[in-house]
Amino acid sequence: MNIHPALSLALLALTLALASALVALPAARWPRALRWASLPLLGLSGVAASGAGLWALVEGLDLGLVLPLGLPWLPWHLQLDALAGFFLALIGILVTAAGIYGPAYVRGLESGRESLAALGGFSGLFVAGMLLVVLAADAFVFMVAWELMSLASYFLVAFHHDNPANRRAAFLYLLMAHVGGLAILLGFGVLAAFAGGFEFELLRGAALSTPWASLCFALVLLGFGMKAGLVPLHAWLPEAHPVAPSHISALMSGAMLKVAVYGFVRVVFDLIGQFHWQWGVVMLAVGSLSALTGVLFAMMQSDLKRLLAYSSVENLGIIFIALGLAVLFMATGHPTLAALAFVAALYHAINHALFKGLLFLGAGAVLHSTHERDLEQMGGLLRRMPWTGLFFLVGCVAISALPPLNGFVSEWLTFQAALQAWQLDSGVLRSLIPIVSAVLALTGALVAATFVKVYGVAFLGQARSRHVRRARTVPLGMRWGQGLLALFCVLLGVLPTQVIALLDPVAVAVVGTGLPQAAAGGWLWLTPVSAETASYSAPLSILLLALIAGAAILWARRGRVRRVRRCDPWDCGLTPPTPRMQYSAAAFAQPIRRVFALAFAIDERKPAATDTRPRYRLRIADRAWSLLYVPLAQAVESAARRVVLLQSGNVRVYLGWTLATLLVLLWIIS
């Protein structure tokens, strides 16, 4: 059987991921096996996946393969097309960075009580599950791979299982993952009922009526939205992502959430094959709520990894805003505008994978060096960890959507798509999209404020604790892993026209058209709609920034006095500044907390005048817990107590229930 080299490379990536899981087993007795064999194999798996994905994008491939696995009457169908290639490359880049970063990071875990064999084994299975989801070409393989990814990541979330909070977070994650998986399975069931089979090729031909198509859309939005962490189904994400090892947190936030985006795009844009403007409105509402809620809760956090997890909710909201615009434009007969919004969604998906992976790796470096996740205990890390500080700054600028880095390009493209709302015939839709744009603009401003807080409190000023004062530069491998992602953040910001040229085959395959006018002004200028409407040149913006910086340096040197007398500044007779005088993370976020107080469940206790040891306590909870999850948990517990009444212990009662069940089933069948 002749297999295309690109598909062979994808299968090699899958094989290497499984091999890394197998090779990690000796780590139970020989911890170095994880660093010397398993993680390098995982990194090679990422390189192979990136190569296969880029090959599929450049060549515009659409390859299929049937493997004699699975059930006798249902073999495995695999496919490598442009859409799968894009997400394969995205996963591969993150896995490569994690493979470089991981060996030095896990060295600090070798003295702990946790099983390194479990860490390496489930990491390999986790990556294999993500790759297989993207390559699956039938619903059976897709669900098998989806469950493999979910179960493996559950054990990674529960890796530090000595902490009860970590076990609780892992259980919540597993529960939500299975509820979401059930919704996805039911969505595939709706398609398969009309298609007569489980292969994607058959599912594409399913003739669904509008109500059945809408039911399928609702089910996959629920299932994939739960895995993506969309509000109000997001509560598991800030609990689970922070407690995993940091390179796994980077994979979960940067890659696994994008696998959920891939599944949604595959089913809605490819398999269902029809679009309704109501679907777009629902996606815009959910995306806007997720973006604003995510950034507000991120702003309030003092735990660095928890803050980054909430930020992922915000970024997935932006991706679904762009996808909602694409559905809306497709439903109203504007395929070119739909292609613009779809490309913006894909661009932001890979951007988020890069800068969020970079930030989680940076948070892991801080945790590795200081054993601290609390921003209130940090400060002055830039002097002690200069390379991590530099790479973390790149991630902060990128996630804040500031030019010339990559985050700006994707959000600018999303705004350009939203600004074309005037071409819609419906006045309601023309009024709705500007509101979504305003929410997106507010979100962007809050994101910038959030990461000014993060960088300023963590890396600038003075150290607030002994652990931070003793911080040292992390090992070379951890710096290289961060540097690789930082380099990609710069490249995707400086060369947007080349990136869009790579994304065009995906848009053509999924939406039916691409953005040929994006490079109409040459590689220097990005013109997503037309040169008269809007254009952006990242290389020229870099040149302008360099000229301004050079002029500022020359002016400073020109006005410098040769002899400079250095002394302590006059402090009005007060004591010298101490770390306690610095702005804290909670104080920085206080104005935003006051403005948006209704969005939070705030427990703020100020010290009384009579307290001998005054203490200030602030707890901010998510209202989704009290409004959605707590009533649901109470309802489940109440139903379980009623079901327990059936267990009387009497055999005759059990036989009676069995007979009643058989009679009901016979009546239904007849």
Side-chain angles (χ1 to χ4, degrees):
M1 179 173 57
N2 292 326
I3 303 178
H4 193 281
L7 193 53
S8 299
L9 198 58
L11 294 176
L12 176 63
L14 187 60
T15 304
L16 288 171
L18 293 173
S20 73
L22 186 62
V23 170
L25 295 180
R29 293 178 175 269
W30 189 45
R32 293 185 179 182
L34 182 59
R35 292 191 285 119
W36 289 6
S38 179
L39 285 170
L41 281 176
L42 202 64
L44 291 175
S45 171
V47 173
S50 302
L54 289 174
W55 198 332
L57 284 175
V58 172
E59 298 291 336
L61 300 176
D62 189 358
L63 307 170
L65 179 65
V66 180
L67 296 177
L69 302 173
L71 301 176
W73 64 91
L74 190 61
W76 285 17
H77 295 78
L78 304 182
Q79 183 180 17
L80 178 60
D81 57 3
L83 179 62
F86 169 76
F87 284 93
L88 204 64
L90 183 153
I91 296 169
I93 294 172
L94 264 294
V95 172
T96 302
I100 297 172
Y101 178 97
Y105 181 83
V106 300
R107 186 176 184 180
L109 303 175
E110 290 179 355
S111 58
R113 298 170 57 187
E114 295 84 2
S115 171
L116 295 183
L119 175 60
F122 288 116
S123 297
L125 292 176
F126 175 48
V127 172
M130 290 193 291
L131 296 176
L132 191 55
V133 167
V134 173
L135 292 172
D138 66 64
F140 177 74
V141 179
F142 188 99
M143 292 308 303
V144 169
W146 187 268
E147 288 301 312
L148 175 63
M149 176 185 72
S150 299
L151 286 173
S153 54
Y154 159 75
F155 287 103
L156 294 172
V157 171
F159 177 68
H160 298 290
H161 52 81
D162 288 342
N163 189 335
N166 294 3
R167 296 196 298 270
R168 173 179 171 272
F171 174 76
L172 177 63
Y173 167 65
L174 185 65
L175 176 64
M176 300 290 282
H178 278 79
V179 172
L182 179 60
I184 297 167
L185 184 61
L186 292 174
F188 277 127
V190 172
L191 285 170
F194 289 89
F198 296 103
E199 296 88 349
F200 284 177
E201 195 61 38
L202 293 175
L203 297 182
R204 289 187 186 96
L208 275 70
S209 62
T210 299
W212 282 109
S214 298
L215 175 61
C216 183
F217 167 79
L219 287 170
V220 297
L221 179 62
L222 174 64
F224 292 118
M226 192 171 289
K227 179 66 77 173
L230 296 179
V231 174
L233 308 172
H234 66 290
W236 67 270
L237 196 151
E239 301 291 331
H241 284 203
V243 302
S246 295
H247 62 295
I248 301 300
S249 298
L251 289 177
M252 291 182 69
S253 188
M256 187 184 74
L257 300 186
K258 307 312 172 306
V259 174
V261 174
Y262 164 79
F264 182 82
V265 171
R266 177 64 78 185
V267 175
V268 173
F269 285 79
D270 185 21
L271 301 184
I272 296 180
Q274 53 181 283
F275 303 93
H276 302 279
W277 65 267
Q278 295 90 342
W279 299 1
V281 171
V282 170
M283 293 171 64
L284 288 176
V286 172
S288 300
L289 181 62
S290 300
L292 187 56
T293 303
V295 70
L296 284 175
F297 275 97
M299 184 73 174
M300 299 302 113
Q301 304 306 310
S302 60
D303 185 311
L304 180 55
K305 292 183 70 174
R306 190 176 179 86
L307 182 150
L308 295 177
Y310 267 115
S311 175
S312 293
V313 176
E314 174 257 329
N315 280 278
L316 267 294
I318 294 174
I319 293 172
F320 272 81
I321 287 175
L323 290 176
L325 289 172
V327 170
L328 203 60
F329 287 133
M330 285 294 291
T332 54
H334 297 84
T336 303
L337 297 181
L340 173 59
F342 185 73
V343 167
L346 294 183
Y347 211 133
H348 199 74
I350 192 168
N351 284 345
H352 177 248
L354 293 173
F355 55 62
K356 187 53 62 67
L358 171 59
L359 291 171
F360 264 115
L361 295 186
V366 172
L367 180 62
H368 179 273
S369 185
T370 66
H371 305 287
E372 283 288 353
R373 283 171 34 183
D374 189 358
L375 288 172
E376 306 290 11
Q377 302 298 319
M378 298 182 192
L381 286 174
L382 186 60
R383 291 191 295 272
R384 296 166 177 83
M385 306 173 67
W387 285 106
T388 297
L390 173 62
F391 297 142
F392 203 91
L393 178 61
V394 171
C396 289
V397 174
I399 200 173
S400 300
L402 298 176
L405 296 185
N406 56 341
F408 172 80
V409 180
S410 54
E411 291 201 28
W412 184 74
L413 288 174
T414 305
F415 276 114
Q416 292 305 314
L419 290 174
Q420 303 306 310
W422 62 270
Q423 299 192 36
L424 298 174
D425 296 328
S426 171
V428 174
L429 296 179
R430 288 202 304 268
S431 303
L432 174 65
I433 293 179
I435 297 174
V436 174
S437 303
V439 172
L440 186 57
L442 175 60
T443 299
L446 291 173
V447 169
T450 299
F451 284 91
V452 166
K453 179 191 88 168
V454 171
Y455 198 82
V457 172
F459 288 91
L460 305 181
Q462 300 181 39
R464 295 173 172 84
S465 64
R466 183 181 61 183
H467 287 158
V468 175
R469 282 192 291 271
R470 295 180 177 180
R472 295 292 182 268
T473 302
V474 293
L476 189 61
M478 297 176 70
R479 283 178 274 158
W480 281 3
Q482 297 174 73
L484 176 65
L485 296 182
L487 176 63
F488 275 107
C489 286
V490 174
L491 290 178
L492 267 70
V494 174
L495 304 172
T497 53
Q498 286 76 5
V499 176
I500 290 178
L502 284 175
L503 299 181
D504 251 3
V506 188
V508 171
V510 175
V511 182
T513 183
L515 295 178
Q517 74 280 2
W523 71 275
L524 276 176
W525 291 95
L526 175 61
T527 54
V529 181
S530 67
E532 294 77 16
T533 302
S535 59
Y536 168 66
S537 177
L540 291 182
S541 65
I542 290 180
L543 180 61
L544 180 61
L545 289 174
L547 290 175
I548 293 174
I553 292 172
L554 290 175
W555 181 263
R557 286 184 173 275
R558 179 177 176 273
R560 180 181 294 176
V561 181
R562 290 186 178 181
R563 286 190 173 185
V564 178
R565 180 172 175 263
R566 298 185 180 276
C567 61
D568 293 332
W570 170 244
D571 58 2
C572 303
L574 301 176
T575 58
T578 67
R580 291 177 58 85
M581 299 178 183
Q582 299 176 125
Y583 245 71
S584 65
F588 191 97
Q590 188 263 356
I592 305 297
R593 188 173 69 248
R594 292 285 183 261
V595 172
F596 295 96
L598 292 177
F600 313 112
I602 301 175
D603 179 15
E604 186 176 16
R605 298 188 182 182
K606 301 176 182 178
T610 57
D611 290 346
T612 56
R613 297 184 64 185
R615 291 181 179 274
Y616 173 77
R617 191 180 74 174
L618 175 66
R619 292 181 180 176
I620 300 175
D622 193 338
R623 289 192 184 276
W625 281 103
S626 58
L627 296 177
L628 179 63
Y629 295 96
V630 172
L632 182 61
Q634 291 174 346
V636 171
E637 290 176 359
S638 177
R641 284 194 294 268
R642 287 179 171 84
V643 171
V644 167
L645 297 178
L646 299 176
Q647 297 179 341
S648 62
N650 193 319
V651 175
R652 287 174 293 182
V653 174
Y654 295 156
L655 291 175
W657 283 115
T658 304
L659 177 61
T661 304
L662 288 174
L663 291 175
V664 171
L665 291 175
L666 288 172
W667 175 74
I668 293 174
I669 293 173
S670 62

